[in-house]
Every structure is written in C-alpha cells, then in structure tokens.
Amino acid sequence: MASAAHTDSASDRLEALGLALPELRDNPYYVHHRTVSSTIHISGQLPYRDGELLGQGIVGRDVELQTAQELARHAVLNALAAAVQAVGDLDRVRIVQMLVFVASTPDFGLQSRVANAASALLIEVLGENGRHARTAIGVAGLPLNSPVEIQMVCTAV
C-alpha cells in the first residue's frame, strides 16, 4: 500500500492510493445511512465493486486471510461512500465505531487481522478522523455468502 500521508485532503489521499469511492446502488428495502442527531449510522456494507460481489465463502476454509483483508478494504470503501452521501465531503467524515463481521470457521480466530486491513485504510485516508472504536467478530454466514460485512457509526466534523 502506497503511503498517502503527505497529501492535504482525504480525497487526495484516497486518490494517491489509487482508490475511489464507489457509487452505491439504491435498495428498496433499506437505506445506506441514517442520521440521528449528529450520529450517522452506516448500514452493513459488503465488498461490492461495480455492482459485483468480489468474493464468496468462509474465511479459513474457502477464503484465505489475505483475500479476506482485501475484501474488508472494499467493504470499507463502500461504507465511506455511504458516509460521504450523508455528510457531503470525505473531509467531513469522522469514524466513531466500526463493526466487522467475518464469516469464518469456528477455529479461525484471526477476525481482528481481517478488520485491521479496513482500519488501516480508514486511518491512511482520514488520518485521526479515521481512528475508531472497533469490534471484529466471526459469524457462521453473511448475506450472499460474503466473507466480510462492515457496519459503521460516524459523525460529521
């Protein structure tokens, strides 16, 4: 991962990493974010890119750790896109809490290492506003057999 710490804005840092926020597709059953007072709740985001789920399976059985980490990075990009929908600008996003679900075998035990990839990307792009409280948990399964799902709570700065 290239370092982008020397650039001024969060958008510039994201671009320096060769990344862009995706367009989120509307869903008739839920919204990508909901604001209550100053808190923005981001719906669980899967690792989609251009409308395609990037991986399926159970981490520790079908999916390797490194692949799960890349999928977590894609899921967190989708969560950031939802946050930008809510606040209007990436530089106004502050992550409060992130919950990382990892569909994994009962003996996997490295859910936090999967989550670290998403956390590192948030800090690389948002700096101190990307530092957050976090929970990483293993689950038996996720929607569409996705290996990773990320939910966030944010605020605007």
Side-chain angles (χ1 to χ4, degrees), residues 43-99:
S43 294
Q45 298 293 319
L46 301 179
Y48 276 106
R49 182 175 55 208
D50 299 328
E52 178 183 339
L53 187 62
L54 296 176
Q56 291 183 307
I58 302 297
V59 181
R61 183 183 74 203
D62 313 311
V63 178
E64 298 292 325
L65 173 62
Q66 184 175 359
T67 300
Q69 290 170 322
E70 283 302 310
L71 294 171
R73 288 170 50 88
H74 284 285
V76 88
L77 282 174
N78 289 321
L80 278 177
V84 169
Q85 280 184 353
V87 304
D89 187 320
L90 191 55
D91 286 310
R92 296 191 61 224
V93 174
R94 176 180 290 149
I95 311 303
V96 175
Q97 182 181 32
M98 182 170 66
L99 178 56

Side-chain angles (χ1 to χ4, degrees), residues 13 93-95 122-132:
R13 290 189 292 270
V93 174
R94 176 180 290 149
I95 311 303
L122 289 173
I123 294 165
E124 184 80 16
V125 172
L126 299 175
E128 192 59 31
N129 285 339
R131 295 183 58 78
H132 52 274

Side-chain angles (χ1 to χ4, degrees), residues 3 12-13 18 21 31 36 41 70 78 97 100 103-104 107-108 112 115 133 139 144 146 148 155:
S3 177
D12 290 343
R13 290 189 292 270
L21 294 181
V31 294
V36 179
H41 299 266
E70 283 302 310
N78 289 321
Q97 182 181 32
V100 180
S104 53
D107 63 339
F108 177 66
S112 63
V139 298
L144 303 175
S146 175
V148 179
T155 189

Side-chain angles (χ1 to χ4, degrees), residues 24-36 40-45 78 82-83 85-86 149 151-152:
L24 298 179
R25 295 183 176 187
D26 289 336
N27 189 299
Y29 304 106
Y30 66 89
V31 294
H32 290 289
H33 59 84
R34 176 70 70 202
T35 302
V36 179
I40 304 148
H41 299 266
I42 307 295
S43 294
Q45 298 293 319
N78 289 321
Q85 280 184 353
E149 183 173 9
Q151 177 184 345
M152 291 191 325

